[in-house]
Amino acid sequence: MGSGELPLEVEAVLFGKSESTKRAVAKHVSRFLRWAGKPLSEVAREDVDRYLLTELAGRKRAAQLLLLYLAKAFDYIGRRDLAEHCRERRRGIRVYEEEQRRGALTGEELARVARTIDLWISNRLDRKRRMMGLLFKLIVLTGVRLSEALSLTQEDVGDGVITVRGKGGRVQAKPVPDPKLLELLRGLGPRPFPVAARTVEAWFKRLLREAGLPEQRVRELKVHDLRRTFALLLYEETMDIELVREFLGHSSSKVTEIYLGRGMKQIQARRRAQAAQLVSRKLQSLTSSSASSSASQPSSGKA
């Protein structure tokens, strides 16, 4: 099916795209509309969700492409709620793929990395190394995205907080629990981190190697995994998914659950095991107390 047979609203958002993109979008959108049996203007959220579940299960790239252009088309015809629903579903697929591909630092790895970061920050002779140490510590302590950290200016560094501009234009004040870190950030100049993301990734690899992590982990881990590590630590301490969502700036707690992925399930399993042990110890304590009380009571038998 060619792009000329697409609904006009989809034709509009495809204007200027390559022929290969038009063919791919035409294929997926036309299949979806035939499956739904209705024009785009009458499509409901349930139609999108059922199609993803039944027709595109396991086909993440196809689902992402469809959701991207459905969102654009729904925006074009004024259906903002459905456009945002498609974008949210697409974000969920993307963060799930990231979680599957990467992960987070273990407790031992984080301890090594944190010690190395502090060494970098204390190095007054190597300004670049010190700046990178401050950047990595900021991400670990606040969970900001790398892009958010790199866009900071001195105006964003406040009293106990930094102001970040996240995805979708969201502006968020993030608490920074380390006053010394904020003081050092103020000494870095108008833009604390005037470097490219690619440069930061290269320095992160250097950090991991200096921290003594195996080369396999050095290849696997990315800067973004510091943010995921922060999120998992926060969830483990609070068990409050909504609080984690607020810190990360996600659009919904469902996206946060997908983002935390296997790490969240492991934390829940540990908490359940700990709760079971607490109940067992309490029961043993009560049983022991009862037995001790019974043994200490005088006999009521007659001499």
Side-chain angles (χ1 to χ4, degrees):
M1 181 177 182
S3 63
E5 301 174 55
L6 283 173
L8 290 177
E9 51 268 30
V10 181
E11 289 269 16
V13 299
L14 281 173
F15 181 77
K17 301 295 181 182
S18 67
E19 287 303 315
S20 60
T21 297
K22 290 180 180 180
R23 285 195 297 270
V25 173
K27 179 179 72 174
H28 290 299
V29 172
S30 60
R31 284 179 179 175
F32 168 66
L33 293 177
R34 283 199 299 269
W35 177 90
K38 59 183 71 171
L40 193 65
S41 59
E42 297 177 11
V43 168
R45 289 189 181 197
E46 294 75 17
D47 297 321
V48 174
D49 292 342
R50 281 202 302 272
Y51 187 75
L52 294 175
L53 181 64
T54 61
E55 304 298 316
L56 293 181
R59 300 177 58 194
K60 295 182 177 62
R61 290 191 178 183
Q64 285 183 315
L65 183 66
L66 175 67
L67 290 168
L68 173 63
Y69 283 94
L70 282 181
K72 292 176 181 290
F74 286 131
D75 266 332
Y76 185 81
I77 62 177
R79 300 193 63 186
R80 309 296 183 194
D81 59 329
L82 200 47
E84 181 55 35
H85 179 68
C86 289
R87 281 191 285 267
E88 185 172 316
R89 290 302 306 269
R90 187 169 184 267
R91 284 193 293 268
I93 293 171
R94 179 176 53 77
V95 297
Y96 174 78
E97 287 182 327
E98 288 179 353
E99 192 276 332
Q100 291 290 95
R101 186 171 64 252
R102 301 176 190 167
L105 279 73
T106 66
E108 182 182 352
E109 289 172 342
L110 182 59
R112 291 184 181 185
V113 167
R115 285 194 294 268
T116 306
I117 286 174
D118 286 341
L119 287 175
W120 282 21
I121 292 174
S122 64
N123 188 336
R124 296 180 178 275
L125 299 178
D126 191 335
R127 189 178 183 281
K128 189 71 172 286
R129 187 178 295 265
R130 193 179 193 204
M131 178 188 70
M132 288 298 175
L134 291 171
L135 173 58
F136 296 140
K137 188 163 188 175
L138 183 67
I139 297 174
V140 170
L141 286 179
T142 65
V144 295
R145 297 178 178 90
L146 176 58
S147 59
E148 293 169 346
L150 295 182
S151 65
L152 287 174
T153 67
Q154 286 300 331
E155 294 179 355
D156 300 320
V157 182
D159 185 13
V161 299
I162 57 171
T163 302
V164 299
R165 290 155 187 82
K167 293 184 177 180
R170 296 187 183 91
V171 178
Q172 187 179 18
K174 288 184 177 285
V176 180
D178 187 344
K180 182 65 175 178
L181 176 60
L182 289 172
E183 180 184 338
L184 292 173
L185 287 179
R186 294 189 186 98
L188 290 180
R191 281 188 60 207
F193 308 114
V195 290
R198 182 178 299 179
T199 301
V200 177
E201 290 289 355
W203 275 90
F204 185 63
K205 300 298 185 185
R206 183 180 302 183
L207 172 71
L208 298 179
R209 291 189 177 99
E210 289 191 18
L213 270 63
E215 191 60 28
Q216 177 64 29
R217 290 295 281 160
V218 173
R219 289 195 296 269
E220 291 173 350
L221 291 167
K222 307 291 183 183
V223 174
H224 188 83
D225 295 318
L226 293 177
R227 170 175 159 87
R228 197 187 321 278
T229 301
F230 163 85
L232 287 167
L233 287 173
L234 181 60
Y235 180 72
E236 186 164 21
E237 290 299 317
T238 65
M239 299 301 289
D240 187 339
I241 193 67
E242 182 60 24
L243 180 64
V244 179
R245 182 200 69 77
E246 291 178 5
F247 265 89
L248 296 180
H250 286 163
S251 58
S252 73
S253 58
K254 183 63 178 175
V255 172
T256 306
E257 289 176 11
I258 296 171
Y259 183 81
L260 296 180
R262 291 189 300 270
M264 179 180 178
K265 294 180 176 63
Q266 291 167 355
I267 291 170
Q268 291 171 341
R270 286 199 299 270
R271 284 298 184 101
R272 286 193 294 269
Q274 291 168 359
Q277 290 172 0
L278 287 173
V279 172
S280 177
R281 285 197 292 268
K282 181 65 174 178
L283 182 59
Q284 290 174 0
S285 175
L286 291 173
T287 303
S288 300
S289 298
S290 177
S292 176
S293 176
S294 299
S296 64
Q297 289 180 0
S299 174
S300 60
K302 296 182 180 179

